């Protein structure tokens, strides 16, 4: 149980285009999902907290107009990287917490490469 | 105040040995302490977690030791196997109840188990 999926697993896009990443909780509902970014050989950096039916809460230094988050249902959150640039290339990981339980379960990650 | 300091940065252990990773925190509001295992190119997987009302929790070969007064907790991997070779992250959060809130991650430990 507690499986989280992400799609796509890898994406390559050209500079200036937008990319959408989906995060789904497959066997549980989650009012809260989290989006992280991870650089090679580094720890996870929280970007934003996504709450179903309300606006996401962004961490300090994260551009909310660049990283658009939508939590449309209790099983789906999306992260859209708008006008992507090479410096946005990274490993993006989401996590979700089952309703009534606090632990976070992570998705497999999405490798974004901007050329 | 929000930092979680993890050590060592890397660890090499022989097969069958004990792997020990340590974490220290400052924020006394933290009340949930999970450990995650991450393989290259994958998302972190929840290994084991502890709340501060107990000093030790064991699940299979994995044990968390928790010292509330010292604000430290550690992961012990008994009978380490080559398949345990991965990056391990400690984390902490506050919130209590059914919501553990945002996770603050340690810097990670790269564990290598030699056959």
């Amino acid at each position: 149980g507690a499986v989280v999926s992400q799609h796509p697993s890898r994406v390559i896009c050209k500079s200036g285009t937008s990319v959408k990443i989906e995060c789904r909780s497959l066997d549980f509902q989650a009012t809260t999902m989290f989006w992280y970014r991870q650089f090679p050989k580094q720890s996870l950096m929280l970007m934003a907290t996504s709450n179903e039916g309300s606006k996401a809460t962004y961490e300090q230094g994260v551009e909310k107009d660049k990283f658009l988050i939508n939590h449309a249902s209790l099983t789906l959150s999306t992260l859209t990287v708008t006008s992507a640039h090479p410096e946005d290339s990274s490993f993006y990981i989401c996590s979700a917490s089952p309703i009534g339980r606090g632990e976070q379960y992570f998705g497999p990650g999405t490798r974004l490469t901007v050329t | 105040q929000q930092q979680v300091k993890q050590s060592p940065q890397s660890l090499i252990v022989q097969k069958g040995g004990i792997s020990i990773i340590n974490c220290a925190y400052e924020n006394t509001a933290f009340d949930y302490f999970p450990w995650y295992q991450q393989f290259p190119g994958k998302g972190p997987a929840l290994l084991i977690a502890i709340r501060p009302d107990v000093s030790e929790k064991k699940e299979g070969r994995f044990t968390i030791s928790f010292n509330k007064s010292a604000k430290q907790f550690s992961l012990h991997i008994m009978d380490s196997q080559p398949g345990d070779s991965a990056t391990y992250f400690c984390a902490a959060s506050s919130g209590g109840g059914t919501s553990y809130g945002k996770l603050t991650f340690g810097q990670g430990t790269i564990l290598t188990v030699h056959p």
Side-chain angles (χ1 to χ4, degrees):
Chain A
V3 179
V4 177
S5 71
Q6 278 183 246
H7 178 79
S9 58
R10 290 178 176 271
V11 57
I12 301 173
C13 70
K14 292 186 182 300
S15 186
T17 61
S18 295
V19 174
K20 180 185 285 189
I21 303 169
E22 292 187 348
C23 176
R24 293 182 185 274
S25 53
L26 298 184
D27 52 2
F28 64 94
Q29 293 183 323
T31 51
T32 305
M33 292 184 173
F34 302 86
W35 287 95
Y36 295 83
R37 186 172 179 177
Q38 186 177 36
F39 292 105
K41 299 191 184 302
Q42 292 191 23
S43 189
L44 289 83
M45 183 189 78
L46 179 66
M47 299 175 64
T49 301
S50 167
N51 294 296
E52 188 266 339
S54 63
K55 290 184 179 181
T57 303
Y58 291 82
E59 294 300 299
Q60 191 173 9
V62 177
E63 300 176 58
K64 60 182 180 182
D65 293 332
K66 180 167 188 61
F67 298 100
L68 301 180
I69 291 172
N70 183 277
H71 195 150
S73 75
L74 291 174
T75 58
L76 174 64
S77 176
T78 60
L79 168 68
T80 301
V81 183
T82 63
S83 187
H85 291 285
E87 57 266 31
D88 298 323
S89 298
S90 190
F91 193 51
Y92 292 87
I93 316 173
C94 70
S95 70
S97 292
I99 296 174
R101 291 160 52 189
E103 65 269 23
Q104 288 185 33
Y105 295 95
F106 284 80
T110 297
R111 174 75 59 194
L112 170 63
T113 303
V114 185
T115 62
Chain B
Q1 183 103 13
Q2 290 295 325
Q3 278 189 324
V4 176
K5 295 183 179 180
Q6 184 172 344
S7 63
Q9 198 170 8
S10 63
L11 179 62
I12 299 175
V13 173
Q14 291 297 121
K15 178 182 176 182
I18 302 173
S19 303
I20 301 174
I21 305 170
N22 302 296
C23 284
Y25 64 97
E26 291 294 325
N27 188 349
T28 55
F30 285 150
D31 58 5
Y32 174 67
F33 304 89
W35 284 89
Y36 286 87
Q37 177 190 59
Q38 186 179 31
F39 292 103
K42 306 294 183 184
L46 179 62
L47 261 182
I48 186 172
I50 198 168
R51 299 293 299 274
D53 52 346
V54 295
S55 60
E56 186 175 282
K57 183 175 181 180
K58 182 176 180 179
E59 289 185 2
R61 295 185 295 111
F62 301 94
T63 299
I64 298 180
S65 295
F66 184 80
N67 186 328
K68 188 174 181 178
S69 61
K71 291 185 284 187
Q72 295 175 349
F73 58 110
S74 61
L75 175 70
H76 295 230
I77 305 174
M78 312 300 288
D79 188 26
S80 298
Q81 299 296 313
D84 297 330
S85 298
T87 300
Y88 291 81
F89 292 98
C90 64
S93 70
S94 60
T98 58
S99 171
Y100 296 148
K102 299 189 297 184
L103 287 172
T104 299
F105 280 87
Q107 296 82 359
T109 296
I110 300 172
L111 171 65
T112 303
V113 181
H114 284 158

